[in-house]
Amino acid sequence: MPTLVDAVIVGAGFAGLRSLHTLRAIGLSAVVLEASDGVGGVWYHNQYPGARCDVESFDYSYRFSPELEQEWRWSERYATQPEILRYINHVADRFDLRRDIRLDTRVASARFNEDSSRWIVTAEDGRVWDAERLILAVGQLSTPKDTSYPGQDSFAGRIISSARWPKDHVDFAGKRVAIIGTGSSGVQMTPVIAAQAAQLTVFQRTANYSIPAANAPVSDEEDAAVKARYAERREAARNSPSGLGFVPDTRAAIDVPEDERNAAYEAAWHRLGFGFALTFKDILLNADSNATASAFIKRKIAEQVDDPAVLATLTPGDFPFGTRRPSVDSGYFQAFNRDNVRLVDISKTPIERFTADGIRTTAEDFAFDIVIYATGFDAFTGSLLKPEIVGRGGQTLREKWAAGPASFLGIGVHGFPNMFVIVGPGSPSLLSNVLLSSEEQIDWLAALFTHARDRGITEIEATETAERDWVAHVNERAEETLYLKTPSYYLGAEMPGKPRVFMPYSGGVRGYRRILERTAASGYEGFALR
Ligand code: N01
């Protein structure tokens, strides 16, 4: 017999836990189904050395409870993965969430029953739930890319994925270690492993921009100052373009005198981390303005790297800063000045295969004890398309999104009534502080569900017209930016064969929220309420 609930929430990361708490608060029963054996989502799996958040801790934390805000004490400006995981577990206990979380429960399928307008959700082990609402809180970077090379099985050493870091302690002392991939994961782990391993070899395919984290312990004074005005800080974040709290200089970078512009970049370099892209309002909109930021960062990289040949390889190519997700690092470039660290440019000498001893490129054989894949994720849609999700008329979400994801507001999908995506494609998602964006959407959905319940509405479905118009709007906003000029995971370029569609909404956190507010004020125009 299926278990009857008002809502099934898929995923026990930040968004899933917040959804559970909020749905309970409006009187709905909900269950969270989580494939792994712990809560935390990406923060549970990505336990690689050096993993930390590149949004400031005070902003990458829940806003729904002023008590929680006051109680929790962040130790560093950018929290490490273990501290974030402790926070999530604290929240699960503090708000008594665990009794409605089913761990080790991978959703195999979700089918919309047109007679009852409810979702039948089946786990891989055969357990079934029957729910009015289906909330997909599965994350945007939660399905690792399945990278492999020929001969991998013959490798005598250990292969580890950064996104599925093993629970046992990995000892790098005296070991020859390889990292494949230089996105945020590779960039974060490089200096940490370099300091422990006998030798570290980093295989880089594409050089990218990285900004220093300017991490620091949070002093008691800073902690008290933030907590005294936390509500104001939250409002500032909600009203900023990316939910990070930074308000850009409203001038075009290119219009600012060079001295003044460089002074602004210099200040941002030492304090803003990821917010560097918001030094001026048009860095991601205007190629000439962007060129000033890109050149500044390249000069900064040059100051950090001793060897000219290594520097040439580490210097980003001819693409605008920020159009591929930049990293925020703690000593990445300097790590290549160490005697035990080597950089291999696999765009020039690609990896051919694994051997029993290590890795063979077109130029050389390397011997390793440990090889780490830090090759990223099937971004945005990977986890959404994993279960068999079947909507109205037997259409699957995979069929519906065969040419790329389409939704209304990034939340509702026509043909899939009562299914709601949290921080999915078509919403600010990975162009924003995703925790803030997920709380924004969950509060909005709670109001929608209350509205529906008060009016006896059982079925909520994005209309075809609203969905078409939203996709067009997402594309129009993207065309105003520089993002479309560079292959990136924002565009589906990280996976061979993936549709090239710009997935996040680039209109900003504040602009998006206003659209949500207008939609609610109109009685949820764009959704058919039955
Ligand atoms: O993955 P990525 P990531 N052979 O996709 C290379 C978030 N995050 O796990 O660009 C060899 O960025 C690939 O090269 P190329 C953050 O949003 C946040 O590092 O395809 N190399 C690239 O260098 C981030 O953006 C934090 O040419 C291959 C790298 O692997 C996102 O997660 C920390 C390859 C993949 O980079 C993903 O980061 C960590 C192959 N077959 C992550 N395939 C925070 O601090 C790919 N590559 C919050």
Side-chain angles (χ1 to χ4, degrees), residues 85-227:
L85 192 57
R86 275 201 300 282
Y87 173 79
I88 300 176
N89 275 285
H90 170 75
V91 169
D93 293 328
R94 166 83 168 71
F95 297 96
D96 187 24
L97 300 178
R98 292 190 201 273
R99 65 186 154 88
D100 288 323
I101 300 173
R102 304 287 169 268
L103 300 176
D104 295 308
T105 304
R106 182 175 288 284
V107 171
S109 68
R111 290 173 187 279
F112 183 66
N113 178 333
E114 295 188 39
D115 296 330
S116 64
S117 291
R118 294 173 67 90
W119 284 91
I120 307 301
V121 182
T122 307
E124 278 184 351
D125 64 9
R127 281 172 296 157
V128 183
W129 288 263
D130 178 337
E132 184 173 47
R133 316 269 185 235
L134 174 65
I135 315 267
L136 300 174
V138 293
Q140 315 75 38
L141 296 163
S142 43
T143 295
K145 271 173 68 172
D146 197 9
T147 314
S148 66
Y149 286 98
Q152 203 167 286
D153 292 344
S154 68
F155 176 54
R158 186 171 185 187
I159 297 176
I160 300 175
S161 160
S162 64
R164 290 287 178 270
W165 198 260
K167 297 285 177 299
D168 64 304
H169 171 68
V170 182
D171 186 5
F172 295 106
K175 302 279 191 332
R176 299 158 302 176
V177 181
I179 298 174
I180 305 175
T182 54
S184 295
S185 304
V187 162
Q188 286 187 335
M189 70 176 78
T190 290
V192 181
I193 297 176
Q196 297 172 19
Q199 293 168 25
L200 173 65
T201 306
V202 177
F203 291 93
Q204 173 195 280
R205 196 162 68 176
T206 309
N208 197 2
Y209 298 88
S210 184
I211 311 290
N215 189 31
V218 174
S219 66
D220 288 341
E221 294 71 36
E222 187 182 359
D223 183 63
V226 172
K227 286 176 176 171

Side-chain angles (χ1 to χ4, degrees), residues 331-398:
Y332 174 65
F333 295 109
Q334 294 97 324
F336 293 95
N337 298 332
R338 298 175 63 107
D339 292 337
N340 68 332
V341 179
R342 197 175 152 189
L343 180 67
V344 176
D345 184 350
I346 53 171
S347 72
K348 296 212 169 91
T349 56
I351 295 174
E352 282 188 343
R353 57 180 296 109
F354 276 71
T355 61
D357 294 333
I359 285 177
R360 176 172 299 159
T361 67
T362 52
E364 198 177 333
D365 275 347
F366 297 83
F368 296 117
D369 303 301
I370 300 173
V371 173
I372 301 167
Y373 278 120
T375 49
F377 300 85
D378 181 354
F380 292 98
T381 51
S383 298
L384 288 168
L385 297 181
K386 233 192 245 169
E388 178 87 341
I389 299 180
V390 187
R392 199 189 283 291
Q395 187 186 35
T396 65
L397 192 60
R398 282 182 215 132

Side-chain angles (χ1 to χ4, degrees), residues 5 61 68 132 139 160 165 191 196 224 238 240 316 318 322 342 380-381 399 411 417 427 446 456 488 501:
V5 280
S61 54
L68 174 66
E132 184 173 47
I160 300 175
W165 198 260
Q196 297 172 19
R238 293 181 83 205
S240 67
D318 200 15
R342 197 175 152 189
F380 292 98
T381 51
E399 288 163 354
I411 295 177
S427 76
S488 73
V501 172

